[in-house]
Amino acid sequence: MDTPETESLGELDLAIVHALQIDARAPWTKIAATVGADAATVARHWQAMSEESLAWLTGWPTPERWSTTTDVAMVLLDRSADDQVIERIAGMPWALGIDDTSAGFLVLVAASSGLAVLGDRVRELEEAGATVLRMDVAASIAAEDSSWRLAVLSRSQQRVMRQRRDDDGSRAPRPEVVAEVADALDADPRMPAATLARALGVSEATARRTVDRSIAAGLLRLGCDVAMPAAGYRRGAVLWARADDVDDAAVRAQHTAQTHRVGVLVGPAPLFVCVRARTLTALTGIERDWGEGIEVVDRWTVLRGIKRNGHLLDAAGRTRGRVPLTW
Protein backbone atom coordinates (compact mmCIF):
# COMPACT_ATOMS: atom_id res chain seq x y z
CA MET A 1 0.00 0.00 0.00
CA ASP A 2 1.38 3.41 -0.97
CA THR A 3 1.92 5.90 1.84
CA PRO A 4 -0.31 8.97 1.36
CA GLU A 5 1.48 12.25 0.89
CA THR A 6 1.33 14.60 3.87
CA GLU A 7 1.30 18.33 3.27
CA SER A 8 4.34 19.95 4.85
CA LEU A 9 3.73 22.35 7.70
CA GLY A 10 4.75 25.97 7.22
CA GLU A 11 7.45 27.83 9.11
CA LEU A 12 4.97 29.47 11.49
CA ASP A 13 3.24 26.15 12.15
CA LEU A 14 6.55 24.49 13.02
CA ALA A 15 7.53 27.40 15.27
CA ILE A 16 4.23 27.06 17.16
CA VAL A 17 4.77 23.32 17.58
CA HIS A 18 8.32 23.91 18.85
CA ALA A 19 7.03 26.46 21.37
CA LEU A 20 4.37 24.03 22.60
CA GLN A 21 6.99 21.28 22.87
CA ILE A 22 8.82 23.50 25.35
CA ASP A 23 5.74 24.65 27.29
CA ALA A 24 2.38 23.18 26.35
CA ARG A 25 0.55 25.32 28.93
CA ALA A 26 2.01 28.65 27.87
CA PRO A 27 -0.58 31.38 27.09
CA TRP A 28 -1.15 32.05 23.42
CA THR A 29 0.08 35.60 24.01
CA LYS A 30 3.49 34.31 25.17
CA ILE A 31 3.75 31.93 22.22
CA ALA A 32 2.69 34.71 19.83
CA ALA A 33 5.35 37.07 21.19
CA THR A 34 7.97 34.33 20.84
CA VAL A 35 7.18 33.38 17.24
CA GLY A 36 6.49 36.94 16.03
CA ALA A 37 2.77 36.74 15.34
CA ASP A 38 -0.40 37.90 17.04
CA ALA A 39 -2.26 35.60 19.44
CA ALA A 40 -5.31 35.23 17.19
CA THR A 41 -3.14 34.06 14.28
CA VAL A 42 -1.27 31.59 16.49
CA ALA A 43 -4.52 30.15 17.86
CA ARG A 44 -5.96 29.86 14.35
CA HIS A 45 -2.90 28.01 13.03
CA TRP A 46 -2.96 25.67 16.01
CA GLN A 47 -6.66 24.96 15.49
CA ALA A 48 -6.04 24.07 11.85
CA MET A 49 -3.15 21.73 12.68
CA SER A 50 -5.18 20.08 15.42
CA GLU A 51 -8.25 19.59 13.24
CA GLU A 52 -6.11 18.01 10.52
CA SER A 53 -4.48 15.71 13.13
CA LEU A 54 -1.04 16.99 12.11
CA ALA A 55 -0.10 18.09 15.64
CA TRP A 56 -1.48 17.30 19.07
CA LEU A 57 -0.83 18.05 22.72
CA THR A 58 0.25 15.20 24.94
CA GLY A 59 1.71 14.26 28.30
CA TRP A 60 4.90 12.22 28.10
CA PRO A 61 6.17 9.60 30.55
CA THR A 62 9.68 10.93 31.16
CA PRO A 63 12.89 8.96 31.82
CA GLU A 64 12.93 10.37 35.39
CA ARG A 65 9.44 9.02 36.06
CA TRP A 66 10.27 5.68 34.51
CA SER A 67 13.41 5.28 36.62
CA THR A 68 11.36 5.52 39.81
CA THR A 69 8.32 3.44 38.92
CA THR A 70 8.68 1.44 35.74
CA ASP A 71 10.27 -1.57 34.06
CA VAL A 72 10.55 -1.35 30.29
CA ALA A 73 11.27 -3.85 27.52
CA MET A 74 11.79 -3.57 23.78
CA VAL A 75 10.00 -6.52 22.19
CA LEU A 76 10.49 -7.56 18.57
CA LEU A 77 7.58 -9.30 16.86
CA ASP A 78 7.73 -11.30 13.63
CA ARG A 79 6.51 -9.47 10.54
CA SER A 80 3.98 -12.23 9.91
CA ALA A 81 1.59 -10.54 12.39
CA ASP A 82 -1.38 -9.25 10.39
CA ASP A 83 -3.18 -5.92 10.75
CA GLN A 84 -5.79 -7.30 13.16
CA VAL A 85 -3.11 -8.66 15.50
CA ILE A 86 -1.20 -5.37 15.49
CA GLU A 87 -4.42 -3.43 16.06
CA ARG A 88 -5.21 -5.59 19.11
CA ILE A 89 -1.73 -4.98 20.48
CA ALA A 90 -2.00 -1.25 19.77
CA GLY A 91 -5.10 -1.20 21.95
CA MET A 92 -3.18 -2.48 24.99
CA PRO A 93 -2.63 0.48 27.38
CA TRP A 94 0.84 -0.67 28.46
CA ALA A 95 2.11 -0.97 24.87
CA LEU A 96 3.43 2.59 24.78
CA GLY A 97 4.75 2.55 21.24
CA ILE A 98 4.88 0.36 18.13
CA ASP A 99 7.09 0.80 15.06
CA ASP A 100 7.02 -1.27 11.90
CA THR A 101 10.70 -1.82 11.14
CA SER A 102 12.75 -3.74 8.61
CA ALA A 103 13.39 -6.37 11.30
CA GLY A 104 9.79 -6.70 12.50
CA PHE A 105 7.34 -4.87 14.73
CA LEU A 106 9.15 -3.22 17.64
CA VAL A 107 6.92 -2.75 20.69
CA LEU A 108 7.78 -0.67 23.77
CA VAL A 109 6.23 -2.48 26.75
CA ALA A 110 6.02 -1.04 30.29
CA ALA A 111 5.07 -2.40 33.71
CA SER A 112 5.12 -0.84 37.18
CA SER A 113 4.77 -4.01 39.25
CA GLY A 114 8.04 -5.82 38.59
CA LEU A 115 9.75 -7.91 35.95
CA ALA A 116 7.35 -10.83 36.39
CA VAL A 117 4.50 -8.60 35.23
CA LEU A 118 6.63 -7.40 32.33
CA GLY A 119 7.07 -11.05 31.31
CA ASP A 120 3.33 -11.65 31.61
CA ARG A 121 2.65 -8.78 29.26
CA VAL A 122 5.02 -10.14 26.65
CA ARG A 123 3.10 -13.42 26.86
CA GLU A 124 -0.10 -11.43 26.25
CA LEU A 125 1.43 -10.26 22.97
CA GLU A 126 1.76 -13.91 21.98
CA GLU A 127 -1.79 -14.64 23.11
CA ALA A 128 -2.93 -11.82 20.83
CA GLY A 129 -1.50 -13.77 17.90
CA ALA A 130 2.03 -12.36 17.55
CA THR A 131 5.30 -14.30 17.44
CA VAL A 132 7.89 -12.84 19.81
CA LEU A 133 11.38 -12.98 18.33
CA ARG A 134 13.24 -11.33 21.19
CA MET A 135 12.72 -9.35 24.38
CA ASP A 136 15.31 -6.89 25.67
CA VAL A 137 14.79 -5.49 29.18
CA ALA A 138 15.98 -1.93 29.73
CA ALA A 139 18.53 -1.27 32.44
CA SER A 140 17.90 2.46 31.97
CA ILE A 141 16.14 4.90 29.67
CA ALA A 142 18.36 7.89 28.95
CA ALA A 143 16.02 9.80 26.62
CA GLU A 144 12.48 9.54 25.35
CA ASP A 145 10.30 11.44 22.89
CA SER A 146 9.44 13.87 25.70
CA SER A 147 12.80 15.62 25.23
CA TRP A 148 12.93 15.66 21.40
CA ARG A 149 12.46 19.09 19.83
CA LEU A 150 12.07 20.58 16.39
CA ALA A 151 15.03 22.76 15.45
CA VAL A 152 13.01 25.87 14.56
CA LEU A 153 13.15 28.48 17.31
CA SER A 154 16.38 30.35 17.97
CA ARG A 155 18.16 29.96 21.29
CA SER A 156 16.82 33.28 22.50
CA GLN A 157 13.27 32.30 21.55
CA GLN A 158 13.70 29.00 23.39
CA ARG A 159 14.91 30.83 26.50
CA VAL A 160 11.76 32.95 26.47
CA MET A 161 9.57 29.85 26.27
CA ARG A 162 11.47 28.17 29.11
CA GLN A 163 10.91 31.04 31.53
CA ARG A 164 8.70 29.88 34.39
CA ARG A 165 7.79 31.02 37.84
CA ASP A 166 10.67 30.79 40.29
CA ASP A 167 11.11 27.40 41.94
CA ASP A 168 10.14 27.69 45.59
CA GLY A 169 12.48 24.84 46.54
CA SER A 170 9.67 22.51 47.57
CA ARG A 171 10.03 18.78 47.18
CA ALA A 172 8.70 17.01 44.11
CA PRO A 173 5.18 15.56 44.49
CA ARG A 174 4.87 11.89 45.38
CA PRO A 175 4.73 9.50 42.38
CA GLU A 176 1.06 8.73 43.01
CA VAL A 177 0.25 12.45 42.95
CA VAL A 178 2.14 12.90 39.69
CA ALA A 179 0.21 9.98 38.21
CA GLU A 180 -3.08 11.57 39.29
CA VAL A 181 -2.13 14.89 37.71
CA ALA A 182 -1.00 13.13 34.52
CA ASP A 183 -4.31 11.29 34.30
CA ALA A 184 -6.26 14.51 34.81
CA LEU A 185 -4.31 16.30 32.08
CA ASP A 186 -4.39 13.35 29.69
CA ALA A 187 -7.30 14.65 27.61
CA ASP A 188 -6.21 18.29 27.67
CA PRO A 189 -2.67 19.26 28.74
CA ARG A 190 -3.75 22.93 28.51
CA MET A 191 -6.59 22.38 30.98
CA PRO A 192 -7.08 25.58 33.05
CA ALA A 193 -5.79 25.41 36.62
CA ALA A 194 -9.31 25.97 37.96
CA THR A 195 -10.64 22.95 36.05
CA LEU A 196 -7.67 20.83 37.14
CA ALA A 197 -8.23 21.88 40.75
CA ARG A 198 -11.82 20.64 40.63
CA ALA A 199 -10.69 17.34 39.10
CA LEU A 200 -8.08 16.85 41.85
CA GLY A 201 -10.21 18.21 44.70
CA VAL A 202 -7.65 20.84 45.69
CA SER A 203 -7.35 24.61 45.49
CA GLU A 204 -6.40 26.31 42.23
CA ALA A 205 -3.09 27.46 43.71
CA THR A 206 -2.27 23.92 44.85
CA ALA A 207 -3.14 22.49 41.44
CA ARG A 208 -0.93 25.00 39.64
CA ARG A 209 1.93 24.45 42.11
CA THR A 210 1.69 20.66 41.79
CA VAL A 211 1.93 20.82 38.00
CA ASP A 212 4.91 23.20 38.17
CA ARG A 213 6.76 21.04 40.71
CA SER A 214 6.08 17.83 38.76
CA ILE A 215 7.49 19.40 35.59
CA ALA A 216 10.48 20.94 37.41
CA ALA A 217 11.35 17.53 38.89
CA GLY A 218 11.22 15.91 35.46
CA LEU A 219 8.37 13.60 36.52
CA LEU A 220 5.83 15.13 34.14
CA ARG A 221 6.40 16.64 30.74
CA LEU A 222 3.57 18.23 28.80
CA GLY A 223 4.34 18.98 25.20
CA CYS A 224 3.36 18.72 21.58
CA ASP A 225 3.77 15.90 19.09
CA VAL A 226 3.60 16.18 15.33
CA ALA A 227 3.12 14.04 12.24
CA MET A 228 6.78 13.51 11.40
CA PRO A 229 6.41 13.53 7.58
CA ALA A 230 4.63 16.90 7.82
CA ALA A 231 7.62 18.24 9.77
CA GLY A 232 10.06 16.94 7.14
CA TYR A 233 11.21 13.87 9.07
CA ARG A 234 10.26 11.11 6.63
CA ARG A 235 12.88 8.53 7.67
CA GLY A 236 13.68 6.78 10.93
CA ALA A 237 16.04 4.10 12.16
CA VAL A 238 16.81 2.00 15.22
CA LEU A 239 20.54 1.61 15.87
CA TRP A 240 22.07 -1.07 18.12
CA ALA A 241 25.58 -0.57 19.44
CA ARG A 242 28.29 -1.68 21.84
CA ALA A 243 30.63 0.61 23.76
CA ASP A 244 33.38 0.34 26.36
CA ASP A 245 31.42 2.76 28.56
CA VAL A 246 27.80 2.26 27.56
CA ASP A 247 26.41 4.86 29.97
CA ASP A 248 28.73 7.52 28.58
CA ALA A 249 27.79 6.41 25.06
CA ALA A 250 24.11 6.82 25.90
CA VAL A 251 24.71 10.38 27.06
CA ARG A 252 26.60 11.22 23.87
CA ALA A 253 23.92 9.64 21.68
CA GLN A 254 21.05 11.47 23.36
CA HIS A 255 22.66 14.83 22.62
CA THR A 256 22.47 14.24 18.87
CA ALA A 257 19.71 16.44 17.45
CA GLN A 258 18.06 13.61 15.48
CA THR A 259 17.84 11.26 18.48
CA HIS A 260 14.48 10.78 20.15
CA ARG A 261 14.94 7.63 22.23
CA VAL A 262 18.02 6.17 23.93
CA GLY A 263 18.29 3.26 26.33
CA VAL A 264 20.68 0.77 27.80
CA LEU A 265 19.42 -2.79 27.53
CA VAL A 266 20.52 -6.08 29.04
CA GLY A 267 22.01 -7.79 26.02
CA PRO A 268 25.03 -8.24 23.72
CA ALA A 269 24.50 -4.84 22.02
CA PRO A 270 23.17 -2.93 25.00
CA LEU A 271 22.89 0.56 23.53
CA PHE A 272 19.80 1.24 21.44
CA VAL A 273 19.16 4.58 19.78
CA CYS A 274 16.09 5.62 17.80
CA VAL A 275 16.65 8.47 15.37
CA ARG A 276 14.53 10.39 12.89
CA ALA A 277 15.99 12.19 9.89
CA ARG A 278 15.11 13.72 6.56
CA THR A 279 17.05 11.04 4.62
CA LEU A 280 18.71 7.77 5.56
CA THR A 281 22.00 9.12 4.22
CA ALA A 282 22.12 11.18 7.43
CA LEU A 283 22.85 8.05 9.49
CA THR A 284 26.59 8.14 8.77
CA GLY A 285 26.86 11.68 10.11
CA ILE A 286 24.69 10.91 13.14
CA GLU A 287 26.91 8.00 14.13
CA ARG A 288 30.05 10.04 13.51
CA ASP A 289 28.75 12.78 15.82
CA TRP A 290 28.67 10.30 18.70
CA GLY A 291 32.47 10.21 18.74
CA GLU A 292 34.91 7.39 19.31
CA GLY A 293 34.35 4.16 21.23
CA ILE A 294 30.85 3.28 19.97
CA GLU A 295 30.47 0.33 17.59
CA VAL A 296 27.13 0.14 15.74
CA VAL A 297 26.40 -3.52 15.11
CA ASP A 298 22.92 -3.38 13.58
CA ARG A 299 20.62 -0.88 11.91
CA TRP A 300 16.88 -1.23 11.37
CA THR A 301 14.89 1.09 9.14
CA VAL A 302 11.57 2.34 10.53
CA LEU A 303 9.00 1.77 7.81
CA ARG A 304 6.22 3.56 9.67
CA GLY A 305 5.11 4.46 13.16
CA ILE A 306 1.98 2.68 14.36
CA LYS A 307 1.66 3.97 17.92
CA ARG A 308 3.61 6.62 19.82
CA ASN A 309 3.04 7.61 23.43
CA GLY A 310 -0.39 6.01 23.24
CA HIS A 311 -1.43 7.79 20.04
CA LEU A 312 -2.45 5.56 17.15
CA LEU A 313 -0.90 6.82 13.91
CA ASP A 314 -2.12 6.52 10.35
CA ALA A 315 0.12 5.81 7.37
CA ALA A 316 0.91 9.54 7.06
CA GLY A 317 1.98 9.83 10.69
CA ARG A 318 -1.16 11.68 11.83
CA THR A 319 -2.92 10.81 15.06
CA ARG A 320 -6.09 8.81 14.56
CA GLY A 321 -6.97 8.28 18.21
CA ARG A 322 -5.38 7.59 21.55
CA VAL A 323 -5.31 4.71 24.00
CA PRO A 324 -4.90 6.13 27.54
CA LEU A 325 -1.63 4.86 28.98
CA THR A 326 -1.65 2.73 32.12
CA TRP A 327 1.11 0.42 33.22
Side-chain angles (χ1 to χ4, degrees):
M1 181 179 67
D2 293 335
T3 301
E5 286 295 320
T6 304
E7 183 177 352
S8 296
L9 293 173
E11 184 177 349
L12 178 58
D13 295 323
L14 294 173
I16 293 168
V17 170
H18 192 176
L20 288 167
Q21 286 178 329
I22 297 171
D23 185 358
R25 294 177 63 81
W28 291 125
T29 51
K30 179 179 180 179
I31 295 173
T34 301
V35 302
D38 62 84
T41 298
V42 167
R44 186 171 66 253
H45 275 251
W46 171 252
Q47 185 69 20
M49 285 188 284
S50 181
E51 289 178 351
E52 295 172 15
S53 299
L54 291 172
W56 54 94
L57 297 171
T58 189
W60 302 96
T62 66
E64 294 90 340
R65 185 177 170 197
W66 281 1
S67 67
T68 60
T69 64
T70 308
D71 291 302
V72 178
M74 303 293 288
V75 182
L76 182 66
L77 308 180
D78 188 84
R79 293 190 56 79
S80 63
D82 60 28
D83 291 344
Q84 289 184 333
V85 169
I86 297 302
E87 193 70 15
R88 282 198 293 272
I89 293 172
M92 297 174 176
W94 39 261
L96 306 190
I98 305 174
D99 286 311
D100 183 4
T101 80
S102 54
F105 296 99
L106 187 61
V107 185
L108 179 64
V109 176
S112 59
S113 301
L115 291 176
V117 174
L118 196 64
D120 290 340
R121 289 181 172 170
V122 173
R123 280 188 285 275
E124 286 188 51
L125 300 179
E126 295 178 315
E127 292 169 0
T131 299
V132 174
L133 299 178
R134 59 187 274 191
M135 170 187 178
D136 294 286
V137 176
S140 65
I141 300 293
E144 241 302 316
D145 292 81
S146 60
S147 58
W148 184 82
R149 300 283 185 270
L150 292 170
V152 179
L153 298 180
S154 67
R155 291 184 178 180
S156 61
Q157 289 173 310
Q158 293 178 51
R159 281 196 296 270
V160 171
M161 287 305 306
R162 290 194 185 99
Q163 291 174 357
R164 294 180 176 273
R165 286 178 290 276
D166 292 336
D167 186 1
D168 62 6
S170 300
R171 291 182 302 175
R174 299 188 306 277
E176 60 269 23
V177 174
V178 175
E180 187 178 3
V181 171
D183 289 342
L185 293 175
D186 182 72
D188 180 15
R190 289 181 65 87
M191 178 186 293
T195 305
L196 177 61
R198 288 193 294 271
L200 298 177
V202 298
S203 70
E204 183 175 341
T206 297
R208 184 180 293 108
R209 192 163 52 245
T210 301
V211 172
D212 289 344
R213 290 175 182 171
S214 299
I215 292 173
L219 300 176
L220 176 66
R221 190 165 289 139
L222 304 173
C224 185
D225 205 352
V226 63
M228 291 302 156
Y233 293 89
R234 300 180 180 274
R235 297 293 183 265
V238 183
L239 309 177
W240 302 85
R242 290 190 288 259
D244 295 334
D245 186 338
V246 69
D247 292 322
D248 174 70
V251 171
R252 283 189 274 155
Q254 77 181 82
H255 288 152
T256 307
Q258 298 91 336
T259 298
H260 65 96
R261 182 181 299 155
V262 181
V264 176
L265 305 177
V266 180
L271 179 67
F272 83 92
V273 184
C274 299
V275 301
R276 48 178 66 117
R278 300 185 185 280
T279 69
L280 289 176
T281 57
L283 291 180
T284 301
I286 292 170
E287 295 172 18
R288 184 173 57 244
D289 288 344
W290 294 349
E292 300 293 331
I294 302 177
E295 178 192 6
V296 177
V297 298
D298 205 356
R299 300 170 180 86
W300 302 348
T301 303
V302 176
L303 307 178
R304 59 163 290 200
I306 295 173
K307 183 180 184 182
R308 185 166 68 244
N309 193 43
H311 275 270
L312 306 174
L313 307 178
D314 68 12
R318 298 170 298 205
T319 180
R320 59 181 179 87
R322 186 166 191 261
V323 178
L325 300 177
T326 58
W327 66 87

